DNA sequence: CCAATAGTGTCTATGAGACATTATGGG
DNA sequence: CCCATAATGTCTCATAGACACTATTGG
């Protein structure tokens, strides 16, 4: 293979995930240019020639998604680079997963007439531009998997939260119900997951729930598995 | 961000892993050009403008590593794209992990005077060019982690193997000893992992070991965890 | 009081790990 | 016979899950 200039373009595409009204949701922007005009797409943008990949992802997060980089978890996924995935030319997409608590619908930024969160369960893959349905599938599976082995679920919640809220994160992302009692014991006894506070959440029609904050650990040992059923 | 031509170059870099003399090893090639002349690097090459990323990885696997694509597991890892990771210009590295059984030392291919497998435990990260030490670290952790939740360990072995050989894969990659009896029971009772044959391996100074072949499953349920100790 | 949610206790089944025991080959 | 390795058995402990029970608020 030659070392000649290849004229690749490099883009970052983001799967920005949050819980909206308690439902696992992802941010999509409506394209107002060809190709795929009026289809929905992941927010993305081209990488500057002197810009680190992570910096490009953070920039897109702020400008396209209207999300500040604080309190948002950002992690690189795979790259997608089929030769003809984009009719405009050879564009490599480096994808990232962003997770945040209660992210707002962005005020429609540049390059998109509309932008809003979609519930993952309501999404029709056919409405997505390019190979973004495939990217979305990879991202959702990564998120679901990481809840098993890491403390990542906390990224979906504010600084202080109740065990019920944490359980709702798992239930929404995994799309299954969990036993409240067993979940409470599991979470509070896994070292480094959550840290007990001396405050309580406002009443919700039952016994007030104690507030917790993040523990210091980043991995769950032992893990909290989906599949054991 | 502008849509102008960016003059990125896109490369694939491979972490080719195998067991050599029973030790977890990785293929490195000695560079005979600047930059990093005479340093060791991951085998890699530039992606053709009309070439899929996976096809580029397979091509590098054959030409640089001398490994046919049959019976080699190939999976994409992350991309590495710090702005100044390569002094020659803006080069994005899309990395892949390749696993195979008893891979041979390649006859030194194009662009490298020397190429050989190094035992992972013997490697000094400082001897690696570019950010390849970082890539290696990510790849090794991915391999170690995937042994926990998938049947990937079989990729390190030939078509037919004994349970002891499979255990040696885990012991080498994880760099720890496992109890032979417990491992045997765990592996043979996990559905889809291995399939019993009616043949036996040659004598090794003890009771002959039954031969097994791959089962049909790709994930381990329940997993075989490192950390439980 | 009841309803609702938070949190704990109890029982069972399962699996990991330590370790003993049996099986089967070669000096 | 002894030794080495293969394969199975046994025991203990930890955990998941089902489910009952207690705790604490509001109506």
């Amino acid at each position: 293979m030659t070392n000649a200039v290849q004229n690749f373009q490099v883009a970052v595409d983001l799967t920005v995930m949050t819980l909206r009204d308690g439902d696992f949701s992802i941010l999509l922007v409506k394209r107002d240019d060809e190709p795929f005009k009026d289809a929905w797409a992941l927010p993305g943008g081209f990488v500057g020639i002197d810009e680190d990949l992570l910096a490009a992802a953070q920039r897109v997060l702020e400008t396209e998604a209207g999300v500040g980089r604080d309190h948002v978890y950002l992690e690189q996924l795979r790259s997608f680079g089929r030769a003809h995935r984009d009719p405009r030319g050879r564009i490599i997409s480096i994808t990232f997963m962003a997770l945040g608590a209660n992210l707002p619908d962005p005020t429609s930024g540049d390059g998109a007439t509309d932008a809003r969160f979609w519930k993952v369960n309501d999404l029709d893959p056919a409405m997505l531009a390019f190979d973004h349905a495939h990217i979305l599938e990879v991202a959702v599976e990564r998120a679901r998997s990481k809840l098993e082995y890491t403390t990542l679920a906390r990224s979906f919640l504010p600084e202080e939260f109740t065990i019920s809220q944490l359980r709702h994160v798992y239930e929404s992302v995994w799309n299954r119900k969990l036993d409240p009692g067993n979940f409470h014991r599991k979470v509070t006894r896994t070292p480094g997951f959550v840290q007990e506070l001396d405050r309580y959440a406002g009443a919700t029609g039952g016994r007030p729930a104690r507030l917790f904050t993040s523990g210091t650990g980043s991995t769950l040992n032992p893990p909290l598995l989906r599949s054991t059923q």
Side-chain angles (χ1 to χ4, degrees), chain A residues 91-155:
Chain A
I91 302 183
I92 304 289
S93 167
I94 299 177
T95 60
F96 288 79
M97 172 175 82
L99 305 180
N102 256 317
L103 300 178
D105 276 330
T107 56
S108 52
D110 52 350
T113 51
D114 199 5
R116 71 176 187 87
F117 279 95
W118 290 75
K119 301 185 177 189
V120 169
N121 285 333
D122 290 351
L123 267 181
D124 175 9
M127 66 190 256
L128 289 174
F130 306 108
D131 51 2
H132 288 188
H134 185 199
I135 297 174
L136 176 67
E137 187 183 8
V138 170
V140 167
E141 174 53 31
R142 175 80 69 103
R144 286 181 172 149
S145 171
K146 285 214 125 185
L147 290 202
E148 296 187 297
Y149 309 109
T150 73
T151 59
L152 202 62
R154 300 179 313 203
S155 303

Side-chain angles (χ1 to χ4, degrees), chain A residues 16 57-74 98-101 103-104:
Chain A
V16 184
Q58 287 170 330
R59 175 175 53 78
V60 169
L61 195 60
E62 292 178 24
T63 59
E64 284 246 9
V67 173
R69 71 184 63 180
D70 291 339
H71 303 110
V72 173
Y73 175 86
L74 190 57
L99 305 180
L103 300 178

Side-chain angles (χ1 to χ4, degrees), chain A residues 20-204:
Chain A
R20 299 271 292 173
D21 308 318
D23 291 312
F24 185 35
S25 304
I26 183 169
L27 181 65
L28 297 178
V29 298
K30 196 168 192 174
R31 292 182 56 79
D32 47 21
D33 293 315
E34 293 293 348
F36 292 101
K37 187 170 187 313
D38 294 327
W40 292 84
L42 300 175
F46 289 96
V47 179
I49 193 69
D50 272 315
E51 189 179 36
D52 288 345
L53 298 180
L54 185 62
Q58 287 170 330
R59 175 175 53 78
V60 169
L61 195 60
E62 292 178 24
T63 59
E64 284 246 9
V67 173
R69 71 184 63 180
D70 291 339
H71 303 110
V72 173
Y73 175 86
L74 190 57
E75 169 184 315
Q76 191 192 132
L77 303 171
R78 286 175 32 196
S79 295
F80 293 80
R82 276 197 309 108
H84 304 291
R85 60 180 292 278
D86 191 316
R88 291 169 295 181
R90 188 66 198 272
I91 302 183
I92 304 289
S93 167
I94 299 177
T95 60
F96 288 79
M97 172 175 82
L99 305 180
N102 256 317
L103 300 178
D105 276 330
T107 56
S108 52
D110 52 350
T113 51
D114 199 5
R116 71 176 187 87
F117 279 95
W118 290 75
K119 301 185 177 189
V120 169
N121 285 333
D122 290 351
L123 267 181
D124 175 9
M127 66 190 256
L128 289 174
F130 306 108
D131 51 2
H132 288 188
H134 185 199
I135 297 174
L136 176 67
E137 187 183 8
V138 170
V140 167
E141 174 53 31
R142 175 80 69 103
R144 286 181 172 149
S145 171
K146 285 214 125 185
L147 290 202
E148 296 187 297
Y149 309 109
T150 73
T151 59
L152 202 62
R154 300 179 313 203
S155 303
F156 286 98
L157 295 174
E159 196 72 22
E160 303 186 352
F161 52 85
T162 67
I163 301 298
S164 284
Q165 290 177 298
L166 187 59
R167 176 166 49 83
H168 284 309
V169 171
Y170 277 90
E171 291 180 333
S172 299
V173 175
W174 286 352
N175 203 27
R176 60 166 292 206
K177 288 290 175 193
L178 299 172
D179 181 273
N182 291 334
F183 182 85
H184 187 282
R185 186 175 34 235
K186 168 71 184 178
V187 163
T188 51
R189 292 191 184 174
T190 299
F193 198 175
V194 297
Q195 191 175 347
E196 195 176 285
L197 297 176
D198 280 331
R199 286 189 295 288
Y200 294 83
T204 57

